[in-house]
């Protein structure tokens, strides 16, 4: 081998050593997902709904007078204390004012929040909760029943209208859920919002908080505002300016979801922009406080 070749081989080898880290960083969802209990810290949500964590979370009791937590094996019945208080308050109201016995609560967050080992991009701050569309008739489901029972879809097969499972009581329940001042927004399948826009009577201000979104036909998704005392929590800005001005969102734009949005996308020739999914985040991608949340007792 000539000297020049030897030198260039050494240079290449050195630059490889210096430029690429030898050990891949562990994923945040593996680290945070392995924690079985909350951090022993003052309750605080750090970051954004899809990039953050929660300190000092509380566990929602598996069964309460007006709720049951579902899929207990997932250990996702943890949230910021504001969320736990909200679920107790709202389920009690639902039991009192509707013909539902209470609420079946799906995923909230992991004990310390953060990206999850499966599903959801959000639910990281302990401020998002999925509420089943299945109207509870009893609140004594066994652990096994809570694993095997399925929710019901309130959306038709062609995705343009509500299904036969939809009841007027779904609107009553969502109105109660949205009317609570702690709520920032609620995501639900568009046909449900359209139905409610057409049938709601009286003051419709609460409909401002009901936002059409993909999926969300087996459950609706409640998102709370940043709690007091969580100075690192990033408030979500309204995406539709009309909504921020106190509108209900019950206008022709809503129809897009059940018409053009369902047509196959036209090829643009451009490569779709790939955004990183939170499941690929490392701890370095999360707010710095989350490292403290991870290592806290
Ligand atoms: Zn959700």
């Amino acid at each position: 081998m000539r000297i020049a070749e030897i030198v260039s081989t050494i240079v290449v080898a050195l630059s490889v050593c210096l430029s690429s880290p030898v050990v891949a960083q562990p994923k945040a969802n593996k680290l945070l997902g392995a924690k079985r209990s909350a951090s022993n810290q003052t309750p605080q949500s750090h970051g954004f709904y899809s990039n953050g964590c929660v300190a000092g979370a509380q566990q929602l009791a598996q069964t309460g007078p007006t709720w049951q937590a579902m899929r207990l094996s997932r250990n996702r019945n943890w949230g910021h204390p504001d969320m736990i208080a909200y679920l107790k308050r709202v389920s009690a109201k639902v039991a009192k004012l509707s013909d539902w016995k209470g609420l079946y609560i799906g995923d909230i967050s992991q004990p310390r929040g953060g990206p999850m080992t499966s599903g959801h991009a959000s639910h990281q701050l302990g401020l998002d909760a999925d509420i089943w569309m299945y109207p509870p008739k009893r609140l004594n489901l066994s652990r096994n029943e809570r694993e095997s029972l399925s929710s019901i879809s309130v959306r038709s097969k062609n995705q343009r209208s509500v299904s036969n499972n939809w009841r007027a009581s779904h609107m009553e329940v969502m109105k109660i859920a949205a009317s609570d001042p702690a709520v920032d927004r609620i995501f639900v399948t568009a046909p449900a919002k359209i139905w409610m826009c057409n049938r709601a009577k009286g003051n419709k201000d609460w409909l401002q908080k009901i936002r059409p979104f993909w999926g969300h036909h087996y459950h609706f998704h409640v998102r709370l505002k940043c709690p007091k005392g969580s100075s690192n929590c990033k408030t979500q800005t309204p995406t539709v300016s009309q909504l921020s001005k106190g509108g209900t969102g019950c206008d022709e734009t809503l129809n897009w979801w059940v018409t053009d949005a369902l047509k196959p996308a036209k090829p643009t020739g451009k490569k779709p922009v790939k955004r990183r999914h939170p499941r690929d985040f490392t701890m370095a991608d999360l707010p710095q406080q989350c490292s403290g949340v991870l290592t806290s007792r």
Side-chain angles (χ1 to χ4, degrees):
M1 204 188 278
R2 286 181 306 165
I3 300 249
E5 273 179 54
I6 295 168
V7 170
S8 81
T9 308
I10 292 169
V11 168
V12 168
L14 266 177
S15 69
V16 167
C17 287
L18 294 174
S19 65
S20 58
V22 183
V23 186
Q25 287 298 310
K27 300 274 170 64
N29 66 353
K30 292 273 159 22
L31 296 171
L32 284 158
K35 294 288 176 185
R36 310 309 294 165
S37 59
S39 70
N40 188 10
Q41 294 174 300
T42 308
Q44 255 189 312
S45 296
H46 298 295
F48 193 61
Y49 302 92
S50 54
N51 183 341
C53 58
V54 53
Q58 247 177 35
Q59 188 173 26
L60 178 71
Q62 297 180 353
T63 299
T66 51
W67 75 85
Q68 283 202 290
M70 308 299 280
R71 303 285 189 267
L72 298 170
S73 61
R74 296 190 194 184
N75 196 28
R76 291 177 179 174
N77 54 328
W78 299 78
H80 186 282
D82 277 19
M83 174 55 92
I84 306 306
Y86 167 83
L87 292 169
K88 292 178 178 175
R89 184 164 77 231
V90 160
S91 63
K93 249 188 176 170
V94 163
K96 198 172 161 201
L97 301 175
S98 78
D99 61 7
W100 293 25
K101 269 214 146 52
L103 297 173
Y104 287 155
I105 314 289
D107 287 357
I108 312 172
S109 286
Q110 299 173 151
R112 302 186 187 202
M116 292 189 177
T117 45
S118 64
H120 316 291
S122 67
H123 288 255
Q124 295 191 32
L125 299 185
L127 298 174
D128 293 285
D130 291 340
I131 296 178
W132 280 28
M133 292 291 190
Y134 191 110
K137 289 183 193 71
R138 60 190 184 95
L139 293 171
N140 59 354
L141 297 177
S142 68
R143 197 181 168 92
N144 281 344
E145 284 173 310
R146 287 189 245 184
E147 296 296 330
S148 58
L149 184 72
S150 295
S151 188
I152 49 164
S153 169
V154 296
R155 188 185 72 188
S156 69
K157 280 231 160 65
N158 70 10
Q159 306 187 35
R160 289 169 198 272
S161 59
V162 292
S163 72
N164 291 334
N165 290 327
W166 178 267
R167 301 275 175 275
S169 61
H170 283 97
M171 178 161 75
E172 288 170 48
V173 168
M174 292 189 69
K175 182 178 177 178
I176 293 166
S179 300
D180 191 284
V183 172
D184 181 68
R185 62 194 65 198
I186 291 179
F187 299 111
V188 74
T189 182
K193 168 126 190 179
I194 293 172
W195 194 97
M196 294 189 282
C197 283
N198 292 336
R199 313 289 173 99
K201 299 255 183 322
N203 187 327
K204 292 188 184 182
D205 285 355
W206 60 276
L207 278 164
Q208 187 269 339
K209 293 187 183 173
I210 309 276
R211 307 292 170 88
F213 206 67
W214 304 113
H216 296 91
H217 46 109
Y218 285 96
H219 65 256
F220 61 92
H221 173 144
V222 178
R223 174 165 293 173
L224 300 191
K225 295 171 186 164
C226 281
K228 280 203 183 85
S230 289
S231 53
N232 303 312
C233 177
K234 291 197 194 91
T235 301
Q236 187 169 14
T237 45
T239 45
V240 184
S241 58
Q242 184 262 345
L243 288 174
S244 68
K245 290 177 195 151
T248 57
C250 295
D251 52 39
E252 52 306 332
T253 57
L254 201 47
N255 229 33
W256 174 83
W257 289 93
V258 293
T259 53
D260 288 359
L262 298 175
K263 292 176 187 160
K266 285 189 194 124
T268 58
K270 288 182 199 154
K271 262 195 175 173
V273 186
K274 264 201 174 167
R275 276 198 286 160
R276 270 175 89 212
H277 191 278
R279 78 173 81 87
D280 297 321
F281 289 176
T282 65
M283 290 309 290
D285 294 307
L286 298 180
Q288 175 211 319
Q289 295 86 355
C290 295
S291 299
V293 170
L294 175 69
T295 54
S296 162
R297 272 199 299 130

